[in-house]
Each structure stands twice: as C-alpha cells, then as structure tokens.
Amino acid sequence: MLYESTRGIKGITSKQAIQNGIASDGGLFIPEKFINIDLNNIIQFNNYKEFAYYILKDYLDDFSDTELNECINNAYNDNKFDKDVVELVKLDNNKFALELWHGPTYAFKDVALQILPHLLIKSIDKLETKKALILVATSGDTGKAALEGFKDVVNTKIIVFYPSEGVSEVQKRQMTTQEGKNTFVAGIKGNFDDAQNGVKEIFTSDENCKRIKDEGYFFTSANSINWGRLIPQIVYYAYSYIKLVKTNEIELGQKVNFVVPTGNFGNVLAGYLAKEMGLPINKLIVASNKNNVLTDFINKGVYDRRRQFYKTISPSMDILIASNLERLLYLVSNRDSEKIKILMDKLKRDGYYNIEEDLLNKIKDSFYADYSTDAETKQEIKKVYKIHDYLIDTHSAVAFNVYNKYFDKTGDLTKTIILQTANPYKFAYDVLNALEDNKYIDINHFDAIDMLNKITKKEIPQGIKTIREKNILHPNIIEKNEMMMYILEKIKEK
C-alpha cells in the first residue's frame, strides 16, 4: 500500500507517511486505494484489538505482524482504558451513545494517540540518527492526549501549542501539569486556527526544517493531519456497527447513521473512510457549534473563514479552518491534486473558496450538516439527562442537538450512533450550569466538579478528581510569532 499527497506527491510508504506527518508539498497523505471491509469476517471478532488489527493491517503493510500487534497491544491494554477501549450505550430504540472517552485523558483523542507513538517509533528507520520532534496544535483534547501518549517515549520530544484563553480550565490544567522529561507546552495569544497555522508554516518552511535538522531532529505531527492519527479512528466505526448487529439492534448489512461533533473534520472523515471501505453508513451528520463554517460549506458549497470567531462552551470545536476537509475534497474530486492546490491556495490568499455543484452533491450524498448555539447546547445537556439519566459534555450535546434537528427535518428512523467525545467532568462548569440554569455561574471551575458529582451522583474519573492538586509545570504564554523561537529553545534542553 502506497500513499499520495492531496497536492501531488506519490509513492510514499505508510511508515514514511507517519514519520513525516505532512507531505513536503503541504498536502495530506491518503492511501492510493481503499480496502473493503468484509462484514462476514468482522462479525466474528470479540474484542477491540481484533478490529484494530483488521483495519490497520492492509494500510500499514510495511509493518510486520509482530510490529503491528506490539503497537496494538501496547496501546489498548487495561492500564490505559477502563472498558473494551470504547463503550456503546443504548438510549432508546433509535439512539445509541458511543463513548470514546475511556482512555487516560478522558477524550476520544486517546483512541488514536495511544497507538500513534508506537507506530511512529517503528516507522523511524533503524539507521536514522535523528530524533522525532512532534509538534501539536490543540483546541483542548489533542494536546493532553498527545502529551500522555508520547510521555518519555525514547528519541522523541513533543511540543504542544494551545490557545491560552480557548480551552476549558480542566483541559488547561491537564496540559500545564503534564509530566515527562520530553514534554513541553505553551499557550499562545490567539485562537486554535492561529496555533494550527503556525505549526503548518513551521512544518513547511525549508529554513525551519534545516534548523531543527542541524539540532538532530526531524518534524512530525500528532494532529489528525498525520495518517497514523487518522486511521485508528476508523476502527471504532466498524466496532460500534458490529456491536449493534450482535445485540440484535440491526441486521448485518443494514445502514446506520453516525452523528459527529466536529471541529477539524478528522473524526467525521474517519467515518467517511469507513463508508468508502464498505461499512453500511447512511448519513454522517456533521455537528458544529456557532463556528459553523462546515455547516455553511456542506449546505452551500462555499468555505469562507472570513467570519467572526466565537468562543463557545464547546471549545474543542472552536475552529474556522478544518484541515481534514482537504482529504475529503481530494477524494470527491477523483484525486485531482491540481484542483486541491488551487482551492487551498485560494483559501490561504483570499480566505474562502467555492466548489462546483457536482462536487457538492457528492458530499451531500454522505453528509448532513447543522449547528447548535450555546443556549441550545445547554438545553440539550439538561434534556438528555432528564430523559435518559445520561450525562453528556458540551461537545456531545452539540451532536445530540443537531441530530434532533436532522430528525425533525427528515423523519429518518435509521438507527443512529452519536459519538461522545469527552467525559462530561472535563467541562463540569458548563455542564453544571446547564443542568442548574446558571445557578452556579460564580463557582470555581474545579469546585464545579464536586458540585456536579453531588447533584448527579455520576462517578468522577480519578485523573480529574486529583488534577487540582498537581503543580503547574508549563506556565508559558507566548505570542503567535514566537512559536519557532520556543521550539528552538526547548530542543536545546537536555
């Protein structure tokens, strides 16, 4: 299996794609073909590791069976995840919640970021004398999950940039208290798009690549621009589908919907790739918050980031530049790299682009999109808790709200899986005030955790329960234009 860049480069192995993270032409790697999922085969699987091996083996075929199984077993063990990696919960006859937050940082990013470090280390040529320098831009959850995954991994350093005022207090505390001799974190004065653009510019600068090469490192990424981050996310779509079959909720081959709270488009793109591989998916419902650039694009065919940026109570989705959309455009345009270069150049230069009607119709065949305001998100948290005795975070609530809008519009009775992307205690302040009609707006964010537990009796994860006692190890707040300077400073530290 070889890989190609969305902007033209071809003939790349999976190990090279994972090691590089982003293509040298600025594009994102995509496999030259897709493997079909054999439903009659995967129906026999009994645990998550078997699904992971099945999905990964043909795409990562330059890994030996031994290497791949080591990566899977090291990532998905009982010390890291408190369930069979993910958990599917039935809410009613049509709705199911797919809990993706049973890993060490209580966010869906753990599912991919616990295996990526192992894939990366095995991707580095044994004759390679350089060390991997992992750069991460995060809107909240990716940062902590990547830090935890790469903590003290040999021959690596990881540097995470997050918007200093654009994450929850728990997310910030998780990152700034991160231990590990190879981990570094800095808040930037700006939003997630500023962090992401800064990382991309550093990646694609020949001068910067040479500077870190001279220091004995090479750049790579743990964001979903890295194929090694994206492919593990395909697994839980297949896993949850088969769960519905095995519990007699659907018949094998019957189509389902997935609802995905979406910011950078990586999670829902994994669902699209699963559909391309033959998983019976009817609609992928893209749920955005008030930063609804994806809603407008999927409905109108115009991607326009020239709009007001909103800070919302679902901060991990506060994004105006969805990087993984480039991969979707490449696939629906029949892998037209010249078209992608024109569109991405126009986005960078003018702040917008539009696509032809035939491409938009292809996208609409698979996707539905809508958004939720903060007020609607809060109402949904309260509604789901009241009806189902089920506590959801602010991002998952966006998904529930958008699903309701979809159902009201279409009357579609297809069984639907709603992705739960974070444990509600990571956003306890807003979840508490949603349930209690803003009664606790003056409460400390960490006291809100205890109050939410007192009211709902839902278990607080141990890592969140103890986080307030941890020492701040990464207090740095820097300007956007100081990111490369910070990197050079940290790679010189022993």
Short mmCIF file of all heavy atoms in Angstrom, two decimals, residues 55-98:
data_model
loop_
_atom_site.label_atom_id
_atom_site.label_comp_id
_atom_site.label_asym_id
_atom_site.label_seq_id
_atom_site.Cartn_x
_atom_site.Cartn_y
_atom_site.Cartn_z
N ILE A 55 -8.41 -3.54 10.55
CA ILE A 55 -8.47 -2.26 9.82
C ILE A 55 -7.07 -1.78 9.45
O ILE A 55 -6.83 -1.28 8.34
CB ILE A 55 -9.20 -1.18 10.64
CG1 ILE A 55 -10.67 -1.57 10.89
CG2 ILE A 55 -9.11 0.19 9.97
CD1 ILE A 55 -11.52 -1.64 9.65
N LEU A 56 -6.12 -1.94 10.37
CA LEU A 56 -4.79 -1.36 10.16
C LEU A 56 -3.87 -2.19 9.26
O LEU A 56 -3.01 -1.63 8.57
CB LEU A 56 -4.09 -1.15 11.51
CG LEU A 56 -4.31 0.18 12.22
CD1 LEU A 56 -5.79 0.48 12.45
CD2 LEU A 56 -3.55 0.23 13.54
N LYS A 57 -4.04 -3.48 9.23
CA LYS A 57 -3.00 -4.35 8.64
C LYS A 57 -2.75 -4.08 7.16
O LYS A 57 -1.58 -4.08 6.73
CB LYS A 57 -3.35 -5.82 8.87
CG LYS A 57 -4.62 -6.32 8.18
CD LYS A 57 -4.88 -7.79 8.50
CE LYS A 57 -6.20 -8.28 7.92
NZ LYS A 57 -6.24 -8.25 6.45
N ASP A 58 -3.78 -3.86 6.37
CA ASP A 58 -3.58 -3.65 4.93
C ASP A 58 -3.10 -2.24 4.60
O ASP A 58 -2.42 -2.04 3.58
CB ASP A 58 -4.87 -3.94 4.17
CG ASP A 58 -5.20 -5.43 4.14
OD1 ASP A 58 -4.25 -6.24 4.05
OD2 ASP A 58 -6.39 -5.79 4.24
N TYR A 59 -3.45 -1.29 5.44
CA TYR A 59 -2.98 0.08 5.21
C TYR A 59 -1.55 0.28 5.70
O TYR A 59 -0.83 1.15 5.21
CB TYR A 59 -3.91 1.08 5.90
CG TYR A 59 -5.27 1.16 5.25
CD1 TYR A 59 -6.39 0.64 5.88
CD2 TYR A 59 -5.43 1.73 4.00
CE1 TYR A 59 -7.64 0.69 5.29
CE2 TYR A 59 -6.67 1.80 3.40
CZ TYR A 59 -7.77 1.28 4.04
OH TYR A 59 -9.00 1.33 3.44
N LEU A 60 -1.15 -0.49 6.68
CA LEU A 60 0.20 -0.38 7.26
C LEU A 60 0.97 -1.66 6.93
O LEU A 60 1.54 -2.30 7.80
CB LEU A 60 0.12 -0.15 8.76
CG LEU A 60 -0.78 0.99 9.24
CD1 LEU A 60 -0.75 1.10 10.76
CD2 LEU A 60 -0.39 2.32 8.60
N ASP A 61 0.99 -2.03 5.65
CA ASP A 61 1.53 -3.33 5.30
C ASP A 61 3.05 -3.38 5.25
O ASP A 61 3.63 -4.44 5.00
CB ASP A 61 0.94 -3.84 3.99
CG ASP A 61 1.23 -2.93 2.80
OD1 ASP A 61 1.90 -1.90 2.99
OD2 ASP A 61 0.80 -3.26 1.68
N ASP A 62 3.72 -2.25 5.49
CA ASP A 62 5.17 -2.31 5.66
C ASP A 62 5.56 -2.51 7.13
O ASP A 62 6.73 -2.57 7.46
CB ASP A 62 5.87 -1.09 5.06
CG ASP A 62 5.28 0.24 5.52
OD1 ASP A 62 4.15 0.24 6.02
OD2 ASP A 62 5.94 1.28 5.34
N PHE A 63 4.57 -2.62 8.00
CA PHE A 63 4.79 -3.08 9.37
C PHE A 63 4.67 -4.60 9.37
O PHE A 63 3.74 -5.14 8.76
CB PHE A 63 3.74 -2.51 10.33
CG PHE A 63 3.89 -1.05 10.63
CD1 PHE A 63 3.52 -0.08 9.70
CD2 PHE A 63 4.35 -0.63 11.87
CE1 PHE A 63 3.65 1.26 9.98
CE2 PHE A 63 4.47 0.72 12.16
CZ PHE A 63 4.13 1.67 11.22
N SER A 64 5.56 -5.28 10.06
CA SER A 64 5.40 -6.73 10.21
C SER A 64 4.22 -7.01 11.13
O SER A 64 3.78 -6.14 11.89
CB SER A 64 6.67 -7.35 10.78
OG SER A 64 6.85 -6.96 12.13
N ASP A 65 3.71 -8.24 11.09
CA ASP A 65 2.63 -8.63 12.00
C ASP A 65 3.05 -8.43 13.45
O ASP A 65 2.25 -7.99 14.29
CB ASP A 65 2.24 -10.10 11.78
CG ASP A 65 1.31 -10.28 10.59
OD1 ASP A 65 0.86 -9.26 10.04
OD2 ASP A 65 1.03 -11.43 10.23
N THR A 66 4.30 -8.76 13.73
CA THR A 66 4.81 -8.60 15.10
C THR A 66 4.80 -7.14 15.51
O THR A 66 4.36 -6.78 16.61
CB THR A 66 6.23 -9.17 15.21
OG1 THR A 66 6.19 -10.56 14.90
CG2 THR A 66 6.78 -8.98 16.62
N GLU A 67 5.29 -6.27 14.62
CA GLU A 67 5.33 -4.83 14.92
C GLU A 67 3.92 -4.29 15.16
O GLU A 67 3.67 -3.55 16.13
CB GLU A 67 5.98 -4.07 13.76
CG GLU A 67 7.47 -4.23 13.64
CD GLU A 67 8.03 -3.47 12.47
OE1 GLU A 67 7.39 -3.45 11.39
OE2 GLU A 67 9.13 -2.88 12.61
N LEU A 68 2.99 -4.64 14.27
CA LEU A 68 1.64 -4.10 14.37
C LEU A 68 0.95 -4.59 15.64
O LEU A 68 0.29 -3.81 16.35
CB LEU A 68 0.84 -4.48 13.13
CG LEU A 68 -0.52 -3.79 12.96
CD1 LEU A 68 -0.39 -2.28 13.06
CD2 LEU A 68 -1.16 -4.19 11.64
N ASN A 69 1.10 -5.86 15.94
CA ASN A 69 0.48 -6.39 17.16
C ASN A 69 1.09 -5.79 18.42
O ASN A 69 0.38 -5.55 19.40
CB ASN A 69 0.58 -7.91 17.19
CG ASN A 69 -0.51 -8.58 16.37
OD1 ASN A 69 -1.69 -8.28 16.52
ND2 ASN A 69 -0.12 -9.48 15.46
N GLU A 70 2.38 -5.51 18.40
CA GLU A 70 3.02 -4.84 19.55
C GLU A 70 2.41 -3.45 19.74
O GLU A 70 2.12 -3.04 20.87
CB GLU A 70 4.52 -4.73 19.33
CG GLU A 70 5.28 -6.02 19.58
CD GLU A 70 6.78 -5.87 19.33
OE1 GLU A 70 7.21 -4.75 18.92
OE2 GLU A 70 7.52 -6.85 19.51
N CYS A 71 2.22 -2.72 18.64
CA CYS A 71 1.63 -1.38 18.72
C CYS A 71 0.22 -1.45 19.31
O CYS A 71 -0.13 -0.67 20.20
CB CYS A 71 1.58 -0.74 17.33
SG CYS A 71 3.19 -0.30 16.64
N ILE A 72 -0.57 -2.38 18.81
CA ILE A 72 -1.97 -2.51 19.26
C ILE A 72 -2.03 -2.93 20.73
O ILE A 72 -2.79 -2.36 21.53
CB ILE A 72 -2.71 -3.52 18.36
CG1 ILE A 72 -2.89 -2.93 16.96
CG2 ILE A 72 -4.07 -3.89 18.96
CD1 ILE A 72 -3.36 -3.92 15.91
N ASN A 73 -1.23 -3.91 21.11
CA ASN A 73 -1.26 -4.41 22.49
C ASN A 73 -0.73 -3.38 23.48
O ASN A 73 -1.23 -3.27 24.61
CB ASN A 73 -0.46 -5.71 22.60
CG ASN A 73 -1.16 -6.87 21.92
OD1 ASN A 73 -2.38 -6.94 21.89
ND2 ASN A 73 -0.39 -7.78 21.34
N ASN A 74 0.26 -2.61 23.08
CA ASN A 74 0.80 -1.56 23.96
C ASN A 74 -0.19 -0.42 24.14
O ASN A 74 -0.24 0.22 25.19
CB ASN A 74 2.11 -1.02 23.41
CG ASN A 74 3.27 -1.98 23.59
OD1 ASN A 74 3.27 -2.78 24.54
ND2 ASN A 74 4.25 -1.94 22.70
N ALA A 75 -0.97 -0.14 23.10
CA ALA A 75 -1.91 0.99 23.15
C ALA A 75 -3.18 0.64 23.90
O ALA A 75 -3.65 1.40 24.75
CB ALA A 75 -2.24 1.44 21.73
N TYR A 76 -3.76 -0.52 23.58
CA TYR A 76 -5.11 -0.84 24.05
C TYR A 76 -5.07 -1.91 25.14
O TYR A 76 -5.62 -3.00 24.99
CB TYR A 76 -5.97 -1.30 22.87
CG TYR A 76 -6.04 -0.28 21.77
CD1 TYR A 76 -5.80 -0.63 20.44
CD2 TYR A 76 -6.33 1.06 22.04
CE1 TYR A 76 -5.87 0.31 19.42
CE2 TYR A 76 -6.38 2.01 21.04
CZ TYR A 76 -6.16 1.63 19.73
OH TYR A 76 -6.21 2.58 18.72
N ASN A 77 -4.42 -1.56 26.24
CA ASN A 77 -4.36 -2.50 27.36
C ASN A 77 -5.18 -1.98 28.54
O ASN A 77 -5.63 -0.83 28.55
CB ASN A 77 -2.91 -2.78 27.78
CG ASN A 77 -2.18 -1.52 28.21
OD1 ASN A 77 -2.61 -0.83 29.12
ND2 ASN A 77 -1.06 -1.22 27.56
N ASP A 78 -5.37 -2.82 29.52
CA ASP A 78 -6.23 -2.49 30.66
C ASP A 78 -5.68 -1.35 31.51
O ASP A 78 -6.44 -0.72 32.27
CB ASP A 78 -6.44 -3.72 31.54
CG ASP A 78 -7.23 -4.81 30.84
OD1 ASP A 78 -7.91 -4.48 29.85
OD2 ASP A 78 -7.17 -5.98 31.26
N ASN A 79 -4.40 -1.07 31.42
CA ASN A 79 -3.81 0.04 32.17
C ASN A 79 -4.16 1.38 31.55
O ASN A 79 -4.06 2.42 32.20
CB ASN A 79 -2.29 -0.11 32.25
CG ASN A 79 -1.87 -1.33 33.04
OD1 ASN A 79 -2.53 -1.68 34.03
ND2 ASN A 79 -0.80 -1.99 32.62
N LYS A 80 -4.53 1.36 30.27
CA LYS A 80 -4.81 2.61 29.56
C LYS A 80 -6.31 2.89 29.46
O LYS A 80 -6.74 4.04 29.51
CB LYS A 80 -4.21 2.54 28.15
CG LYS A 80 -2.69 2.37 28.10
CD LYS A 80 -1.98 3.62 28.53
CE LYS A 80 -0.46 3.48 28.44
NZ LYS A 80 0.03 3.31 27.06
N PHE A 81 -7.11 1.84 29.26
CA PHE A 81 -8.54 2.01 29.01
C PHE A 81 -9.35 1.19 30.01
O PHE A 81 -9.01 0.04 30.28
CB PHE A 81 -8.89 1.58 27.58
CG PHE A 81 -8.34 2.49 26.53
CD1 PHE A 81 -7.06 2.28 26.02
CD2 PHE A 81 -9.08 3.56 26.05
CE1 PHE A 81 -6.54 3.13 25.05
CE2 PHE A 81 -8.56 4.41 25.08
CZ PHE A 81 -7.29 4.19 24.58
N ASP A 82 -10.44 1.78 30.53
CA ASP A 82 -11.20 1.09 31.57
C ASP A 82 -12.40 0.31 31.02
O ASP A 82 -13.18 -0.24 31.75
CB ASP A 82 -11.67 2.07 32.65
CG ASP A 82 -12.60 3.15 32.11
OD1 ASP A 82 -12.99 3.07 30.94
OD2 ASP A 82 -12.94 4.07 32.88
N LYS A 83 -12.55 0.28 29.69
CA LYS A 83 -13.56 -0.55 29.04
C LYS A 83 -12.85 -1.30 27.92
O LYS A 83 -11.63 -1.35 27.88
CB LYS A 83 -14.68 0.33 28.46
CG LYS A 83 -15.39 1.23 29.48
CD LYS A 83 -16.43 0.48 30.28
CE LYS A 83 -17.18 1.42 31.22
NZ LYS A 83 -18.19 0.70 32.03
N ASP A 84 -13.63 -1.93 27.02
CA ASP A 84 -13.00 -2.52 25.84
C ASP A 84 -12.69 -1.39 24.86
O ASP A 84 -13.18 -1.35 23.74
CB ASP A 84 -13.91 -3.56 25.20
CG ASP A 84 -13.20 -4.34 24.10
OD1 ASP A 84 -11.96 -4.28 24.03
OD2 ASP A 84 -13.88 -5.00 23.29
N VAL A 85 -11.93 -0.42 25.34
CA VAL A 85 -11.49 0.80 24.63
C VAL A 85 -12.65 1.78 24.48
O VAL A 85 -12.55 2.93 24.88
CB VAL A 85 -10.84 0.49 23.28
CG1 VAL A 85 -10.32 1.77 22.62
CG2 VAL A 85 -9.66 -0.48 23.47
N VAL A 86 -13.77 1.35 23.89
CA VAL A 86 -14.94 2.23 23.77
C VAL A 86 -16.17 1.48 24.28
O VAL A 86 -16.15 0.26 24.43
CB VAL A 86 -15.16 2.68 22.31
CG1 VAL A 86 -13.93 3.40 21.77
CG2 VAL A 86 -15.53 1.52 21.40
N GLU A 87 -17.24 2.22 24.53
CA GLU A 87 -18.46 1.62 25.08
C GLU A 87 -19.68 2.16 24.32
O GLU A 87 -19.79 3.37 24.09
CB GLU A 87 -18.59 1.97 26.57
CG GLU A 87 -19.77 1.37 27.26
CD GLU A 87 -19.53 -0.07 27.69
OE1 GLU A 87 -18.46 -0.63 27.38
OE2 GLU A 87 -20.43 -0.65 28.31
N LEU A 88 -20.58 1.27 23.91
CA LEU A 88 -21.79 1.67 23.21
C LEU A 88 -22.98 1.54 24.17
O LEU A 88 -23.24 0.46 24.72
CB LEU A 88 -22.02 0.79 21.98
CG LEU A 88 -23.13 1.23 21.03
CD1 LEU A 88 -22.82 2.58 20.40
CD2 LEU A 88 -23.35 0.18 19.94
N VAL A 89 -23.70 2.65 24.38
CA VAL A 89 -24.81 2.70 25.34
C VAL A 89 -26.12 2.95 24.59
O VAL A 89 -26.24 3.92 23.82
CB VAL A 89 -24.58 3.82 26.38
CG1 VAL A 89 -25.76 3.90 27.35
CG2 VAL A 89 -23.27 3.60 27.12
N LYS A 90 -27.11 2.09 24.83
CA LYS A 90 -28.42 2.29 24.21
C LYS A 90 -29.22 3.30 25.02
O LYS A 90 -29.38 3.17 26.22
CB LYS A 90 -29.17 0.96 24.14
CG LYS A 90 -30.54 1.08 23.46
CD LYS A 90 -31.23 -0.28 23.32
CE LYS A 90 -32.58 -0.13 22.61
NZ LYS A 90 -33.24 -1.43 22.40
N LEU A 91 -29.74 4.32 24.33
CA LEU A 91 -30.55 5.34 24.99
C LEU A 91 -32.04 5.13 24.73
O LEU A 91 -32.86 5.31 25.61
CB LEU A 91 -30.12 6.74 24.54
CG LEU A 91 -28.66 7.10 24.85
CD1 LEU A 91 -28.33 8.47 24.30
CD2 LEU A 91 -28.39 7.04 26.34
N ASP A 92 -32.38 4.79 23.49
CA ASP A 92 -33.75 4.41 23.15
C ASP A 92 -33.69 3.54 21.90
O ASP A 92 -32.61 3.12 21.50
CB ASP A 92 -34.67 5.64 22.99
CG ASP A 92 -34.21 6.60 21.89
OD1 ASP A 92 -33.65 6.13 20.88
OD2 ASP A 92 -34.42 7.82 22.03
N ASN A 93 -34.81 3.28 21.28
CA ASN A 93 -34.83 2.36 20.15
C ASN A 93 -34.04 2.85 18.95
O ASN A 93 -33.63 2.04 18.11
CB ASN A 93 -36.28 2.08 19.72
CG ASN A 93 -36.99 1.16 20.70
OD1 ASN A 93 -36.35 0.36 21.38
ND2 ASN A 93 -38.32 1.28 20.77
N ASN A 94 -33.84 4.15 18.85
CA ASN A 94 -33.14 4.70 17.69
C ASN A 94 -31.76 5.28 18.00
O ASN A 94 -30.91 5.35 17.12
CB ASN A 94 -33.98 5.81 17.03
CG ASN A 94 -34.92 5.24 15.98
OD1 ASN A 94 -35.13 4.04 15.94
ND2 ASN A 94 -35.46 6.11 15.13
N LYS A 95 -31.52 5.69 19.23
CA LYS A 95 -30.30 6.43 19.56
C LYS A 95 -29.37 5.61 20.45
O LYS A 95 -29.80 5.01 21.44
CB LYS A 95 -30.64 7.75 20.28
CG LYS A 95 -31.38 8.76 19.43
CD LYS A 95 -31.28 10.16 20.02
CE LYS A 95 -31.89 10.28 21.41
NZ LYS A 95 -33.33 10.17 21.43
N PHE A 96 -28.08 5.68 20.09
CA PHE A 96 -27.04 4.99 20.85
C PHE A 96 -25.87 5.95 21.03
O PHE A 96 -25.50 6.69 20.11
CB PHE A 96 -26.56 3.74 20.09
CG PHE A 96 -27.66 2.75 19.82
CD1 PHE A 96 -28.51 2.93 18.73
CD2 PHE A 96 -27.88 1.68 20.68
CE1 PHE A 96 -29.55 2.04 18.48
CE2 PHE A 96 -28.91 0.79 20.44
CZ PHE A 96 -29.75 0.97 19.34
N ALA A 97 -25.31 5.95 22.22
CA ALA A 97 -24.17 6.83 22.53
C ALA A 97 -22.89 6.00 22.49
O ALA A 97 -22.77 5.00 23.20
CB ALA A 97 -24.35 7.46 23.91
N LEU A 98 -21.95 6.41 21.65
CA LEU A 98 -20.66 5.72 21.55
C LEU A 98 -19.65 6.49 22.39
O LEU A 98 -19.18 7.56 21.99
CB LEU A 98 -20.20 5.63 20.09
CG LEU A 98 -18.84 4.95 19.86
CD1 LEU A 98 -18.85 3.52 20.39
CD2 LEU A 98 -18.46 5.00 18.39
#
